[in-house]
Amino acid sequence: ESLKGTLGELYVQNYAPGTFSAYSLEALLDLYNSNNIKIDIVMLDYLGLMKSDRVSPNAGLYSYIKAIGEEVRAVAKHHDIVTISCSQLNRSTFGKDSKEVDNSSISDSMGTAMTADLLVMILQNEAQKEKGEVTFKITKNRYTGKTEVFRVAANYAKMRFEDVLDPGPSFITAPQQIVSSPEDPMGKLP
């Protein structure tokens, strides 16, 4: 499928669990490239649903998931693309404060955390849900080493994160020009 918009095109591929691997991704990217379609970002939901072409599941969950991550990373490097993968947190994190959640909270395997360059957790408790807030927690960052926690507003009607509630990274929202007036000195009115 292709959804055309002002920012580019979105292609969605759907595979049964355990049938898609890094070799499958390589073949898919080669197919797109042969049709003059340049892919910039690949989003995988999620590594644990993929299969490894070089390590058996019998090697153990950690080794298996880590191998999948390494294989995907190699394909991404070869094609000069960004890959983003999602993962769930284990059940022991339910109801915990964001300070108590760390990389060991990732379900499936720590192999996911070992191969990632950047780990960002999206956390929300019941109180935040009522307020329309979400906590982002950067727990691993190979680029700058900087980790931090910040909150954003969740606009569920538009399915996006909007205003930064606490000072934090500027990559969460696009720059906006705020114009104030005597009726709206903070520039908050539409």
Side-chain angles (χ1 to χ4, degrees):
E1 288 178 52
S2 173
L3 303 175
K4 293 186 178 186
T6 58
L7 299 177
E9 295 181 16
L10 172 66
Y11 296 89
V12 177
Q13 297 289 329
N14 190 17
Y15 296 88
T19 63
F20 189 72
S21 68
Y23 289 147
S24 306
L25 177 60
E26 180 88 39
L28 188 60
L29 291 170
D30 288 342
L31 177 65
Y32 282 125
N33 286 337
S34 70
N35 287 298
N36 294 319
I37 299 171
K38 170 70 173 111
I39 302 296
D40 298 310
I41 298 173
V42 172
M43 298 188 75
L44 303 165
D45 183 20
Y46 60 100
L47 289 180
L49 292 176
M50 294 179 66
K51 71 174 184 172
S52 172
D53 286 312
R54 62 183 179 100
V55 174
S56 167
N58 296 334
L61 197 55
Y62 173 85
S63 297
Y64 190 67
I65 299 294
K66 188 172 186 291
I68 294 169
E70 290 168 348
E71 294 164 18
V72 168
R73 187 181 179 131
V75 170
K77 185 173 178 99
H78 178 256
H79 285 272
D80 193 28
I81 60 170
V82 172
T83 56
I84 298 172
S85 178
C86 301
S87 185
Q88 297 175 352
L89 298 178
N90 57 42
R91 291 181 183 169
S92 67
T93 61
F94 184 76
K96 287 189 176 180
D97 185 83
S98 63
K99 294 177 186 131
E100 300 175 77
V101 180
D102 59 20
N103 292 347
S104 67
S105 304
I106 297 172
S107 67
D108 286 343
S109 168
M110 276 295 290
T112 303
M114 294 296 112
T115 56
D117 289 328
L118 178 69
L119 257 168
V120 181
M121 295 184 178
I122 303 173
L123 308 166
Q124 184 180 56
N125 59 33
E126 289 300 319
Q128 287 179 305
K129 190 173 186 176
E130 289 176 20
K131 290 192 251 179
E133 296 176 5
V134 174
T135 297
F136 276 62
K137 183 175 185 177
I138 300 173
T139 60
K140 181 178 181 181
N141 186 343
R142 284 191 185 156
Y143 303 109
T144 65
K146 185 177 180 182
T147 60
E148 63 183 295
V149 177
F150 53 93
R151 293 180 301 138
V152 298
N155 182 334
Y156 296 108
K158 295 182 179 179
M159 293 302 292
R160 66 179 180 195
F161 299 115
E162 291 182 335
D163 299 325
V164 176
L165 301 173
D166 288 339
S170 60
F171 66 84
I172 298 300
T173 57
Q176 297 176 357
Q177 181 179 5
I178 298 176
V179 180
S180 63
S181 67
E183 299 81 28
D184 184 23
M186 298 302 289
K188 298 282 184 187
L189 295 176

